[in-house]
Amino acid sequence: MQDISYNKRFEYNWDVPFKVTLGESYFRFLDGLKNKKILGNICPKCNGLHVPARPFCDKCLVEITKWYETSGIVTIESFSVTYVKFLGLPDPPHITGIVRAENAVTSFLHQIGGIPYDEPKELDEKTKIGMKLKPVWAEKRIGDIQDILYFTPVDA
Amino acid sequence: MKNKVAIVSCGIIKYEGQNELGMWNDEATFKVSKMALDNVGAEKDDLDFVVISTMDGLDGITISNGLLAPAAGAYNKSSVRIETTGVHCIFSAVADILSGNSNLVMVASSDTLEMDFGYVTNFNQDVYFRGPVGFNASQSYGMLAMDYLKKHNIDEKDYARIANKNYLAGAVNPYAHINKKYSTEEIMASPYVNWPLRSLEIGKISNGAVACLIASEEKAKELTDNPVWISGIGLTSSQYLGSWKELSDMKAIKKACKKASDMAGIKDLKKEIDLMEITAPFAPFELIAMESLGFCEEGKAVDMLNNGDTSIGGTLPVNLSGGGLCTNAPNSGGLFRVVQAVKQLNNELDGVNTENMEKALVHDSDMFIGAVGGVSHGVLMLEKGE
Amino acid sequence: MSNNVIKKEWRFNFDFSVASGETYGRFFKGLNDKKIIGNICNNRTFYPPKPFCDKTLKPPDAWLECDGAGIVEAFTICCEKSNGVKFSKTDKKPDVPYVLGVIKIKDSEHCIIHFISGFETKDVSEIADKIEIGMKVKPVWATKREGEILDIEYFEPVI
């Protein structure tokens, strides 16, 4: 048996910076956000619309080069209301959604906001799968997914 | 080996410096994987299994295979991610083929990020003993370089000569990161990083991507007329906290090489092997590895170097790719060397004549995270054939 | 590289906490008291102690203690300041050049890696000449000790 009275706790930290230069597909998608456009691209083999745009199609493993500008309206496919504070996430309650643009074969993750509530718990009921959302744009856009602050109901 | 397994196709892009590629890992992985498939007219649907080699600390995201495996064709297929280098990935591919599970396996790897490599290889160390003194890969290279220098009483200039030999080879390799022919004098004039190693004797970190397709005998014959057969493969791990003798005598390489040679039915390595690719992120490791692999007696590899045996056109060319000094990619370096050896056996590289070369040895290791203890070495035997 | 690229920068910033367990815990407690704790495992001596014998995978047999004197088995002289590496006690980050040595304590069957200092010169070649393989060294203790490897500030030659 271990004699735990000798146990000592070691605390340590990693703080490593990383840098990468993204290629053309991600560039065009992120550059589109600067101009308040949500761009996708279409696989030449399966005709699947990819939003966000990707360099290649996972299913067919072919390069995607055909561009498509979506309306910017997305549909909630799934969501989760968060009631506790997580490092790097907004103050609770906040809603993380899996949203899909038009008839895209891919969906993506973003924040959902602008749904009114009195008690946070109401958000579970008021957020609905299939709900149509539109982007709320940041004033200063730099070509980052956060150029969209969050998505909000179309009729809000 | 009872059943035969071959490398049937490769995909590779030219290696560059850190963050000079202009692609993220997924795109680079996709490009080379697609290239490997296209080269033999295969489709993603022909794949049975995908193996990728990546390490989170080098990819800047945790569990990076989520992003990278589909880029190598793993969507809806079985796949694994291996943190240690190319030969280890090929081991996994070979095992799945020999078990009868797979006929065609994609092995892919990429490096596309810029990070502080000294720091990343410091947090590869334990946090009790080695981490707090700032120990990292480069320092472990310095210790082995010192050990070899003192043991065999050789000249620091010999280290510069190995580096020069590698730079001359890298300069004519269209895939190598560094294409500059640094002279022995330029190398000797570069500053010490970890005495006795100078800056030009340690590989700069490279970015790039590489993939290869591994096939069963039947599939290989269907896909290509010039397969390169995997005749033997061996892996061995070393100790982490051992005596200096245990940490420096490279028993693990010896054992991995013995396993691979036995499997390949190789009786006399020196006679039978025509060329070698050795993982040597610092110049003198080439000498240490050649001796550990059994190509010469201890302390004698420097004679082979100075005789020109291991240079382009020599009797036993070592690292015709330019080696770790010209291409030092932590994730994909091992697979890079495998692909270089395959291209050499197929005499596909313009800068070097490798006609009539039949058998190659590839040494691979995860020592880029630190070469003194806790290292796993792999040896792969390749044979050209019908 | 095409012009249509976009640069991204981010960080891994993680805090970790890990328990030493008894074997290493005894070693670190020993450092606090200027003692080096080891153990005997499968008839082999280890400083620092090993939680198990990696040849037989059997547990250790007995504890040992010594003053930490040992010999240098290998070393390198670090000439480049590492950007990212943070030493756990930042005031001890050494100026270049500094020596990292492989040190075998007493009759230990494994070695540790630690600083070797006390050469009164900053010239790399001179330092290299002053260190002999097999040279005797002893620990120089930090005045403030917290039960960690840097409680030994460095090892110095025994004259």
Side-chain angles (χ1 to χ4, degrees), chain A residues 48-122:
Chain A
L49 170 65
H50 290 64
V51 185
R54 302 233 32 216
F56 58 92
C57 171
D58 277 351
K59 274 189 200 122
C60 308
L61 209 69
V62 295
E63 194 180 345
I64 311 181
T65 47
K66 197 173 151 196
W67 286 86
Y68 176 84
E69 185 183 332
T70 72
S71 63
I73 308 297
V74 298
T75 312
I76 299 182
E77 298 227 293
S78 180
F79 68 91
S80 173
V81 186
T82 306
Y83 295 101
V84 292
K85 176 70 185 163
F86 279 99
L87 190 70
L89 285 181
D91 286 335
H94 73 87
I95 312 165
T96 307
I98 302 273
V99 297
R100 186 159 75 101
E102 300 179 26
N103 61 341
V105 293
T106 55
S107 44
F108 62 102
L109 202 86
H110 218 297
Q111 306 300 326
I112 298 170
I115 299 178
Y117 62 89
D118 295 318
E119 287 297 319
K121 206 62 194 132
E122 291 168 26

Side-chain angles (χ1 to χ4, degrees), chain A residues 10 12-26 45 54-63, chain B residues 19 22-24 26-27 30 34 37 43-44 57 60 70-71 73 75 112-115 119-120 123 127-128:
Chain A
F10 279 79
Y12 63 103
N13 165 270
W14 291 354
D15 187 11
V16 206
F18 292 96
K19 272 187 211 166
V20 72
T21 305
L22 301 175
E24 181 139 5
S25 315
Y26 294 126
K45 201 166 169 190
R54 302 233 32 216
F56 58 92
C57 171
D58 277 351
K59 274 189 200 122
C60 308
L61 209 69
V62 295
E63 194 180 345
Chain B
N19 196 17
M23 275 182 262
W24 200 16
D26 62 340
E27 190 171 359
F30 159 71
K34 178 75 175 146
L37 287 171
E43 301 269 345
K44 176 184 167 266
Y75 177 71
T112 62
L113 263 61
E114 180 181 340
M115 31 77 210
Y119 188 23
V120 171
F123 68 63
V127 297
Y128 306 122

Side-chain angles (χ1 to χ4, degrees), chain B residues 241-315:
Chain B
L241 289 172
S243 67
W244 176 246
K245 192 174 176 303
E246 283 163 327
L247 299 182
S248 62
D249 79 351
M250 302 296 148
K251 240 187 259 169
I253 299 189
K254 286 176 196 153
K255 208 153 191 184
C257 186
K258 171 94 171 59
K259 278 186 195 169
S261 304
D262 287 352
M263 200 188 269
I266 292 175
K267 301 267 181 295
D268 186 342
L269 272 174
K270 210 175 165 179
K271 264 193 201 143
E272 293 181 54
I273 295 295
D274 297 311
L275 59 89
M276 279 199 282
E277 282 289 325
I278 288 175
T279 295
F282 62 104
F285 194 77
E286 192 173 302
L287 306 179
I288 298 171
M290 280 170 61
E291 293 167 12
S292 307
L293 290 164
F295 283 88
C296 55
E297 282 173 41
E298 268 191 39
K300 297 292 179 210
V302 72
D303 296 339
M304 290 179 74
L305 167 84
N306 288 331
N307 291 339
D309 295 351
T310 56
S311 307
I312 299 178
T315 51

